[in-house]
Amino acid sequence: MFDVTSTDIHLQLIDCSCNGKLLTDGKQVTEILADAVKKSDLTVVETCYKEFDNGGGITAAVLLLESHVVVHTWPDRKNTVIGDISVCNYSQNNTPKAKKLQEILVEVFSPEKTLINMTCNPISTEGLELKKEGYDIRNFLDIEDLIMEKRSP
């Protein structure tokens, strides 16, 4: 068992230069997600998507054996894509797989600006030394401060 129960990666991809039609095609985005999951060595359990009226974007989700991946698109707001990748690390460390999935999604959507927040959730803070650069990550507010400092430019 690993000391970190889960890894969560939140992506904000702004001014995506991919084909604009991709951001409104739920079926295609879901297929891309499922393929990216497989290339990342994670396991697809189920997929689904919802296309919103009048080209309002899509929400696509892939349920993973290890947890989930969800993507929301806003073609009417600077071709923005928001993605959430969450993986469980109970029996093995899946964090490198989540990072690979993140890299694939960034490549597919080709954003001009990328913001990435990654958090790792410990099983327990009891007895663990979790201080870094003066932050005690057992304190939620310190976690938020640390995340803000680590955002990509």
Side-chain angles (χ1 to χ4, degrees), residues 15-48:
D15 284 333
C16 295
S17 60
C18 63
N19 177 344
K21 290 182 181 181
L22 175 62
L23 301 182
T24 59
D25 188 336
K27 182 177 183 200
Q28 186 177 5
V29 170
T30 303
E31 289 170 355
I32 288 169
L33 283 179
D35 185 53
V37 163
K38 292 172 189 170
K39 287 179 180 174
S40 301
D41 236 3
L42 295 165
T43 312
V44 174
V45 173
E46 189 64 60
T47 64
C48 65

PDB file of all heavy atoms in Angstrom, residues 15-48:
ATOM      1  N   ASP A  15      -7.589  28.721 -25.071  1.00  0.00           N
ATOM      2  CA  ASP A  15      -7.257  29.021 -26.467  1.00  0.00           C
ATOM      3  C   ASP A  15      -6.723  27.782 -27.174  1.00  0.00           C
ATOM      4  O   ASP A  15      -5.650  27.791 -27.768  1.00  0.00           O
ATOM      5  CB  ASP A  15      -6.233  30.160 -26.579  1.00  0.00           C
ATOM      6  CG  ASP A  15      -6.844  31.528 -26.334  1.00  0.00           C
ATOM      7  OD1 ASP A  15      -8.050  31.687 -26.585  1.00  0.00           O
ATOM      8  OD2 ASP A  15      -6.108  32.422 -25.895  1.00  0.00           O
ATOM      9  N   CYS A  16      -7.499  26.718 -27.107  1.00  0.00           N
ATOM     10  CA  CYS A  16      -7.096  25.469 -27.750  1.00  0.00           C
ATOM     11  C   CYS A  16      -7.118  25.639 -29.260  1.00  0.00           C
ATOM     12  O   CYS A  16      -8.091  26.145 -29.823  1.00  0.00           O
ATOM     13  CB  CYS A  16      -8.016  24.330 -27.333  1.00  0.00           C
ATOM     14  SG  CYS A  16      -7.886  23.951 -25.578  1.00  0.00           S
ATOM     15  N   SER A  17      -6.039  25.222 -29.912  1.00  0.00           N
ATOM     16  CA  SER A  17      -5.953  25.397 -31.358  1.00  0.00           C
ATOM     17  C   SER A  17      -6.348  24.128 -32.118  1.00  0.00           C
ATOM     18  O   SER A  17      -6.162  24.042 -33.321  1.00  0.00           O
ATOM     19  CB  SER A  17      -4.533  25.829 -31.759  1.00  0.00           C
ATOM     20  OG  SER A  17      -3.593  24.858 -31.377  1.00  0.00           O
ATOM     21  N   CYS A  18      -6.916  23.153 -31.401  1.00  0.00           N
ATOM     22  CA  CYS A  18      -7.412  21.954 -32.084  1.00  0.00           C
ATOM     23  C   CYS A  18      -8.589  22.351 -32.963  1.00  0.00           C
ATOM     24  O   CYS A  18      -9.113  23.460 -32.866  1.00  0.00           O
ATOM     25  CB  CYS A  18      -7.844  20.908 -31.061  1.00  0.00           C
ATOM     26  SG  CYS A  18      -9.212  21.454 -30.015  1.00  0.00           S
ATOM     27  N   ASN A  19      -9.027  21.462 -33.799  1.00  0.00           N
ATOM     28  CA  ASN A  19     -10.198  21.688 -34.634  1.00  0.00           C
ATOM     29  C   ASN A  19     -11.375  22.093 -33.743  1.00  0.00           C
ATOM     30  O   ASN A  19     -11.749  21.353 -32.839  1.00  0.00           O
ATOM     31  CB  ASN A  19     -10.506  20.404 -35.411  1.00  0.00           C
ATOM     32  CG  ASN A  19     -11.741  20.499 -36.262  1.00  0.00           C
ATOM     33  OD1 ASN A  19     -12.566  21.387 -36.108  1.00  0.00           O
ATOM     34  ND2 ASN A  19     -11.868  19.570 -37.171  1.00  0.00           N
ATOM     35  N   GLY A  20     -11.946  23.278 -33.979  1.00  0.00           N
ATOM     36  CA  GLY A  20     -13.040  23.787 -33.149  1.00  0.00           C
ATOM     37  C   GLY A  20     -14.229  22.843 -33.071  1.00  0.00           C
ATOM     38  O   GLY A  20     -14.931  22.813 -32.065  1.00  0.00           O
ATOM     39  N   LYS A  21     -14.460  22.057 -34.124  1.00  0.00           N
ATOM     40  CA  LYS A  21     -15.572  21.106 -34.110  1.00  0.00           C
ATOM     41  C   LYS A  21     -15.368  20.025 -33.061  1.00  0.00           C
ATOM     42  O   LYS A  21     -16.328  19.461 -32.553  1.00  0.00           O
ATOM     43  CB  LYS A  21     -15.752  20.478 -35.494  1.00  0.00           C
ATOM     44  CG  LYS A  21     -16.279  21.445 -36.526  1.00  0.00           C
ATOM     45  CD  LYS A  21     -16.495  20.782 -37.861  1.00  0.00           C
ATOM     46  CE  LYS A  21     -17.013  21.792 -38.869  1.00  0.00           C
ATOM     47  NZ  LYS A  21     -17.263  21.190 -40.165  1.00  0.00           N
ATOM     48  N   LEU A  22     -14.112  19.730 -32.743  1.00  0.00           N
ATOM     49  CA  LEU A  22     -13.819  18.722 -31.730  1.00  0.00           C
ATOM     50  C   LEU A  22     -14.459  19.100 -30.392  1.00  0.00           C
ATOM     51  O   LEU A  22     -14.969  18.238 -29.681  1.00  0.00           O
ATOM     52  CB  LEU A  22     -12.298  18.563 -31.556  1.00  0.00           C
ATOM     53  CG  LEU A  22     -11.831  17.636 -30.452  1.00  0.00           C
ATOM     54  CD1 LEU A  22     -12.310  16.202 -30.702  1.00  0.00           C
ATOM     55  CD2 LEU A  22     -10.320  17.672 -30.334  1.00  0.00           C
ATOM     56  N   LEU A  23     -14.479  20.389 -30.081  1.00  0.00           N
ATOM     57  CA  LEU A  23     -14.982  20.836 -28.787  1.00  0.00           C
ATOM     58  C   LEU A  23     -16.495  20.717 -28.644  1.00  0.00           C
ATOM     59  O   LEU A  23     -17.044  20.938 -27.567  1.00  0.00           O
ATOM     60  CB  LEU A  23     -14.535  22.274 -28.512  1.00  0.00           C
ATOM     61  CG  LEU A  23     -13.018  22.493 -28.495  1.00  0.00           C
ATOM     62  CD1 LEU A  23     -12.693  23.940 -28.174  1.00  0.00           C
ATOM     63  CD2 LEU A  23     -12.329  21.556 -27.535  1.00  0.00           C
ATOM     64  N   THR A  24     -17.177  20.361 -29.737  1.00  0.00           N
ATOM     65  CA  THR A  24     -18.628  20.167 -29.672  1.00  0.00           C
ATOM     66  C   THR A  24     -19.043  18.733 -30.028  1.00  0.00           C
ATOM     67  O   THR A  24     -20.236  18.443 -30.106  1.00  0.00           O
ATOM     68  CB  THR A  24     -19.355  21.150 -30.624  1.00  0.00           C
ATOM     69  OG1 THR A  24     -18.910  20.936 -31.959  1.00  0.00           O
ATOM     70  CG2 THR A  24     -19.109  22.604 -30.211  1.00  0.00           C
ATOM     71  N   ASP A  25     -18.081  17.867 -30.238  1.00  0.00           N
ATOM     72  CA  ASP A  25     -18.354  16.489 -30.640  1.00  0.00           C
ATOM     73  C   ASP A  25     -18.084  15.532 -29.477  1.00  0.00           C
ATOM     74  O   ASP A  25     -16.961  15.063 -29.273  1.00  0.00           O
ATOM     75  CB  ASP A  25     -17.474  16.127 -31.846  1.00  0.00           C
ATOM     76  CG  ASP A  25     -17.828  14.776 -32.457  1.00  0.00           C
ATOM     77  OD1 ASP A  25     -18.393  13.916 -31.743  1.00  0.00           O
ATOM     78  OD2 ASP A  25     -17.506  14.578 -33.643  1.00  0.00           O
ATOM     79  N   GLY A  26     -19.117  15.262 -28.706  1.00  0.00           N
ATOM     80  CA  GLY A  26     -18.985  14.425 -27.518  1.00  0.00           C
ATOM     81  C   GLY A  26     -18.480  13.032 -27.815  1.00  0.00           C
ATOM     82  O   GLY A  26     -17.650  12.493 -27.077  1.00  0.00           O
ATOM     83  N   LYS A  27     -18.957  12.444 -28.900  1.00  0.00           N
ATOM     84  CA  LYS A  27     -18.536  11.093 -29.251  1.00  0.00           C
ATOM     85  C   LYS A  27     -17.039  11.051 -29.541  1.00  0.00           C
ATOM     86  O   LYS A  27     -16.311  10.180 -29.040  1.00  0.00           O
ATOM     87  CB  LYS A  27     -19.326  10.572 -30.457  1.00  0.00           C
ATOM     88  CG  LYS A  27     -18.960   9.153 -30.819  1.00  0.00           C
ATOM     89  CD  LYS A  27     -19.803   8.624 -31.970  1.00  0.00           C
ATOM     90  CE  LYS A  27     -19.408   7.167 -32.197  1.00  0.00           C
ATOM     91  NZ  LYS A  27     -19.758   6.686 -33.490  1.00  0.00           N
ATOM     92  N   GLN A  28     -16.562  12.006 -30.336  1.00  0.00           N
ATOM     93  CA  GLN A  28     -15.151  12.023 -30.694  1.00  0.00           C
ATOM     94  C   GLN A  28     -14.268  12.295 -29.469  1.00  0.00           C
ATOM     95  O   GLN A  28     -13.237  11.638 -29.287  1.00  0.00           O
ATOM     96  CB  GLN A  28     -14.879  13.066 -31.779  1.00  0.00           C
ATOM     97  CG  GLN A  28     -13.448  13.009 -32.288  1.00  0.00           C
ATOM     98  CD  GLN A  28     -13.175  13.987 -33.417  1.00  0.00           C
ATOM     99  OE1 GLN A  28     -14.022  14.788 -33.794  1.00  0.00           O
ATOM    100  NE2 GLN A  28     -11.977  13.937 -33.951  1.00  0.00           N
ATOM    101  N   VAL A  29     -14.659  13.256 -28.628  1.00  0.00           N
ATOM    102  CA  VAL A  29     -13.867  13.547 -27.423  1.00  0.00           C
ATOM    103  C   VAL A  29     -13.834  12.329 -26.506  1.00  0.00           C
ATOM    104  O   VAL A  29     -12.785  11.988 -25.948  1.00  0.00           O
ATOM    105  CB  VAL A  29     -14.398  14.796 -26.689  1.00  0.00           C
ATOM    106  CG1 VAL A  29     -13.743  14.951 -25.318  1.00  0.00           C
ATOM    107  CG2 VAL A  29     -14.159  16.051 -27.529  1.00  0.00           C
ATOM    108  N   THR A  30     -14.965  11.643 -26.370  1.00  0.00           N
ATOM    109  CA  THR A  30     -15.007  10.448 -25.523  1.00  0.00           C
ATOM    110  C   THR A  30     -14.097   9.356 -26.068  1.00  0.00           C
ATOM    111  O   THR A  30     -13.380   8.694 -25.308  1.00  0.00           O
ATOM    112  CB  THR A  30     -16.458   9.939 -25.392  1.00  0.00           C
ATOM    113  OG1 THR A  30     -17.264  11.007 -24.871  1.00  0.00           O
ATOM    114  CG2 THR A  30     -16.548   8.748 -24.465  1.00  0.00           C
ATOM    115  N   GLU A  31     -14.081   9.175 -27.383  1.00  0.00           N
ATOM    116  CA  GLU A  31     -13.176   8.197 -28.000  1.00  0.00           C
ATOM    117  C   GLU A  31     -11.718   8.584 -27.779  1.00  0.00           C
ATOM    118  O   GLU A  31     -10.873   7.733 -27.493  1.00  0.00           O
ATOM    119  CB  GLU A  31     -13.488   8.060 -29.492  1.00  0.00           C
ATOM    120  CG  GLU A  31     -14.804   7.360 -29.760  1.00  0.00           C
ATOM    121  CD  GLU A  31     -15.249   7.434 -31.219  1.00  0.00           C
ATOM    122  OE1 GLU A  31     -14.593   8.122 -32.043  1.00  0.00           O
ATOM    123  OE2 GLU A  31     -16.273   6.803 -31.538  1.00  0.00           O
ATOM    124  N   ILE A  32     -11.419   9.878 -27.900  1.00  0.00           N
ATOM    125  CA  ILE A  32     -10.051  10.362 -27.662  1.00  0.00           C
ATOM    126  C   ILE A  32      -9.651  10.110 -26.212  1.00  0.00           C
ATOM    127  O   ILE A  32      -8.540   9.654 -25.929  1.00  0.00           O
ATOM    128  CB  ILE A  32      -9.936  11.863 -28.017  1.00  0.00           C
ATOM    129  CG1 ILE A  32      -9.976  12.029 -29.539  1.00  0.00           C
ATOM    130  CG2 ILE A  32      -8.677  12.483 -27.415  1.00  0.00           C
ATOM    131  CD1 ILE A  32     -10.132  13.458 -30.003  1.00  0.00           C
ATOM    132  N   LEU A  33     -10.566  10.402 -25.284  1.00  0.00           N
ATOM    133  CA  LEU A  33     -10.288  10.160 -23.863  1.00  0.00           C
ATOM    134  C   LEU A  33     -10.014   8.682 -23.599  1.00  0.00           C
ATOM    135  O   LEU A  33      -9.040   8.331 -22.924  1.00  0.00           O
ATOM    136  CB  LEU A  33     -11.452  10.608 -22.991  1.00  0.00           C
ATOM    137  CG  LEU A  33     -11.629  12.087 -22.713  1.00  0.00           C
ATOM    138  CD1 LEU A  33     -12.858  12.315 -21.848  1.00  0.00           C
ATOM    139  CD2 LEU A  33     -10.402  12.671 -22.059  1.00  0.00           C
ATOM    140  N   ALA A  34     -10.880   7.822 -24.114  1.00  0.00           N
ATOM    141  CA  ALA A  34     -10.716   6.376 -23.889  1.00  0.00           C
ATOM    142  C   ALA A  34      -9.390   5.888 -24.468  1.00  0.00           C
ATOM    143  O   ALA A  34      -8.682   5.094 -23.830  1.00  0.00           O
ATOM    144  CB  ALA A  34     -11.891   5.612 -24.487  1.00  0.00           C
ATOM    145  N   ASP A  35      -9.023   6.376 -25.649  1.00  0.00           N
ATOM    146  CA  ASP A  35      -7.756   5.993 -26.264  1.00  0.00           C
ATOM    147  C   ASP A  35      -6.576   6.502 -25.422  1.00  0.00           C
ATOM    148  O   ASP A  35      -5.603   5.775 -25.199  1.00  0.00           O
ATOM    149  CB  ASP A  35      -7.674   6.548 -27.687  1.00  0.00           C
ATOM    150  CG  ASP A  35      -6.441   6.072 -28.423  1.00  0.00           C
ATOM    151  OD1 ASP A  35      -6.219   4.845 -28.484  1.00  0.00           O
ATOM    152  OD2 ASP A  35      -5.692   6.935 -28.933  1.00  0.00           O
ATOM    153  N   ALA A  36      -6.664   7.739 -24.938  1.00  0.00           N
ATOM    154  CA  ALA A  36      -5.600   8.313 -24.105  1.00  0.00           C
ATOM    155  C   ALA A  36      -5.460   7.544 -22.797  1.00  0.00           C
ATOM    156  O   ALA A  36      -4.342   7.321 -22.316  1.00  0.00           O
ATOM    157  CB  ALA A  36      -5.888   9.787 -23.830  1.00  0.00           C
ATOM    158  N   VAL A  37      -6.584   7.111 -22.238  1.00  0.00           N
ATOM    159  CA  VAL A  37      -6.562   6.311 -21.005  1.00  0.00           C
ATOM    160  C   VAL A  37      -5.797   5.009 -21.251  1.00  0.00           C
ATOM    161  O   VAL A  37      -4.926   4.623 -20.465  1.00  0.00           O
ATOM    162  CB  VAL A  37      -8.004   6.035 -20.515  1.00  0.00           C
ATOM    163  CG1 VAL A  37      -8.051   4.895 -19.517  1.00  0.00           C
ATOM    164  CG2 VAL A  37      -8.609   7.302 -19.931  1.00  0.00           C
ATOM    165  N   LYS A  38      -6.103   4.344 -22.355  1.00  0.00           N
ATOM    166  CA  LYS A  38      -5.422   3.083 -22.682  1.00  0.00           C
ATOM    167  C   LYS A  38      -3.931   3.291 -22.909  1.00  0.00           C
ATOM    168  O   LYS A  38      -3.108   2.498 -22.450  1.00  0.00           O
ATOM    169  CB  LYS A  38      -6.083   2.434 -23.898  1.00  0.00           C
ATOM    170  CG  LYS A  38      -7.489   1.939 -23.619  1.00  0.00           C
ATOM    171  CD  LYS A  38      -8.186   1.482 -24.877  1.00  0.00           C
ATOM    172  CE  LYS A  38      -9.656   1.198 -24.592  1.00  0.00           C
ATOM    173  NZ  LYS A  38     -10.420   0.986 -25.827  1.00  0.00           N
ATOM    174  N   LYS A  39      -3.575   4.379 -23.614  1.00  0.00           N
ATOM    175  CA  LYS A  39      -2.161   4.683 -23.858  1.00  0.00           C
ATOM    176  C   LYS A  39      -1.428   5.008 -22.558  1.00  0.00           C
ATOM    177  O   LYS A  39      -0.208   4.887 -22.496  1.00  0.00           O
ATOM    178  CB  LYS A  39      -2.029   5.861 -24.820  1.00  0.00           C
ATOM    179  CG  LYS A  39      -2.379   5.511 -26.251  1.00  0.00           C
ATOM    180  CD  LYS A  39      -2.258   6.714 -27.155  1.00  0.00           C
ATOM    181  CE  LYS A  39      -2.613   6.349 -28.591  1.00  0.00           C
ATOM    182  NZ  LYS A  39      -2.634   7.537 -29.464  1.00  0.00           N
ATOM    183  N   SER A  40      -2.170   5.428 -21.542  1.00  0.00           N
ATOM    184  CA  SER A  40      -1.582   5.761 -20.242  1.00  0.00           C
ATOM    185  C   SER A  40      -1.521   4.553 -19.325  1.00  0.00           C
ATOM    186  O   SER A  40      -1.132   4.665 -18.173  1.00  0.00           O
ATOM    187  CB  SER A  40      -2.387   6.878 -19.579  1.00  0.00           C
ATOM    188  OG  SER A  40      -2.397   8.018 -20.390  1.00  0.00           O
ATOM    189  N   ASP A  41      -1.934   3.411 -19.816  1.00  0.00           N
ATOM    190  CA  ASP A  41      -1.912   2.159 -19.047  1.00  0.00           C
ATOM    191  C   ASP A  41      -2.923   2.150 -17.902  1.00  0.00           C
ATOM    192  O   ASP A  41      -2.713   1.489 -16.883  1.00  0.00           O
ATOM    193  CB  ASP A  41      -0.508   1.882 -18.507  1.00  0.00           C
ATOM    194  CG  ASP A  41       0.008   0.534 -18.927  1.00  0.00           C
ATOM    195  OD1 ASP A  41      -0.701  -0.153 -19.675  1.00  0.00           O
ATOM    196  OD2 ASP A  41       1.115   0.166 -18.497  1.00  0.00           O
ATOM    197  N   LEU A  42      -4.010   2.886 -18.077  1.00  0.00           N
ATOM    198  CA  LEU A  42      -5.123   2.858 -17.130  1.00  0.00           C
ATOM    199  C   LEU A  42      -6.244   2.031 -17.762  1.00  0.00           C
ATOM    200  O   LEU A  42      -6.170   1.667 -18.932  1.00  0.00           O
ATOM    201  CB  LEU A  42      -5.575   4.282 -16.795  1.00  0.00           C
ATOM    202  CG  LEU A  42      -4.524   5.128 -16.057  1.00  0.00           C
ATOM    203  CD1 LEU A  42      -4.900   6.601 -16.083  1.00  0.00           C
ATOM    204  CD2 LEU A  42      -4.351   4.635 -14.629  1.00  0.00           C
ATOM    205  N   THR A  43      -7.309   1.764 -17.006  1.00  0.00           N
ATOM    206  CA  THR A  43      -8.327   0.824 -17.457  1.00  0.00           C
ATOM    207  C   THR A  43      -9.701   1.470 -17.589  1.00  0.00           C
ATOM    208  O   THR A  43     -10.254   1.955 -16.599  1.00  0.00           O
ATOM    209  CB  THR A  43      -8.422  -0.345 -16.451  1.00  0.00           C
ATOM    210  OG1 THR A  43      -7.106  -0.828 -16.176  1.00  0.00           O
ATOM    211  CG2 THR A  43      -9.282  -1.472 -16.999  1.00  0.00           C
ATOM    212  N   VAL A  44     -10.253   1.467 -18.802  1.00  0.00           N
ATOM    213  CA  VAL A  44     -11.596   1.991 -19.053  1.00  0.00           C
ATOM    214  C   VAL A  44     -12.637   0.998 -18.548  1.00  0.00           C
ATOM    215  O   VAL A  44     -12.585  -0.189 -18.876  1.00  0.00           O
ATOM    216  CB  VAL A  44     -11.826   2.244 -20.563  1.00  0.00           C
ATOM    217  CG1 VAL A  44     -13.270   2.654 -20.833  1.00  0.00           C
ATOM    218  CG2 VAL A  44     -10.859   3.281 -21.090  1.00  0.00           C
ATOM    219  N   VAL A  45     -13.612   1.508 -17.766  1.00  0.00           N
ATOM    220  CA  VAL A  45     -14.745   0.695 -17.325  1.00  0.00           C
ATOM    221  C   VAL A  45     -15.980   1.063 -18.139  1.00  0.00           C
ATOM    222  O   VAL A  45     -16.686   0.195 -18.645  1.00  0.00           O
ATOM    223  CB  VAL A  45     -15.022   0.888 -15.812  1.00  0.00           C
ATOM    224  CG1 VAL A  45     -16.301   0.180 -15.398  1.00  0.00           C
ATOM    225  CG2 VAL A  45     -13.838   0.410 -14.995  1.00  0.00           C
ATOM    226  N   GLU A  46     -16.219   2.371 -18.307  1.00  0.00           N
ATOM    227  CA  GLU A  46     -17.406   2.851 -19.027  1.00  0.00           C
ATOM    228  C   GLU A  46     -17.154   4.275 -19.503  1.00  0.00           C
ATOM    229  O   GLU A  46     -16.336   4.990 -18.929  1.00  0.00           O
ATOM    230  CB  GLU A  46     -18.618   2.820 -18.090  1.00  0.00           C
ATOM    231  CG  GLU A  46     -19.950   3.081 -18.760  1.00  0.00           C
ATOM    232  CD  GLU A  46     -20.320   2.014 -19.778  1.00  0.00           C
ATOM    233  OE1 GLU A  46     -20.442   0.840 -19.397  1.00  0.00           O
ATOM    234  OE2 GLU A  46     -20.491   2.369 -20.954  1.00  0.00           O
ATOM    235  N   THR A  47     -17.860   4.681 -20.564  1.00  0.00           N
ATOM    236  CA  THR A  47     -17.750   6.048 -21.070  1.00  0.00           C
ATOM    237  C   THR A  47     -19.145   6.638 -21.259  1.00  0.00           C
ATOM    238  O   THR A  47     -20.121   5.907 -21.447  1.00  0.00           O
ATOM    239  CB  THR A  47     -17.018   6.104 -22.433  1.00  0.00           C
ATOM    240  OG1 THR A  47     -17.799   5.403 -23.407  1.00  0.00           O
ATOM    241  CG2 THR A  47     -15.627   5.519 -22.346  1.00  0.00           C
ATOM    242  N   CYS A  48     -19.221   7.968 -21.217  1.00  0.00           N
ATOM    243  CA  CYS A  48     -20.474   8.664 -21.534  1.00  0.00           C
ATOM    244  C   CYS A  48     -20.157  10.111 -21.876  1.00  0.00           C
ATOM    245  O   CYS A  48     -19.067  10.614 -21.583  1.00  0.00           O
ATOM    246  CB  CYS A  48     -21.470   8.584 -20.379  1.00  0.00           C
ATOM    247  SG  CYS A  48     -20.950   9.415 -18.889  1.00  0.00           S
TER     248      CYS A  48
END
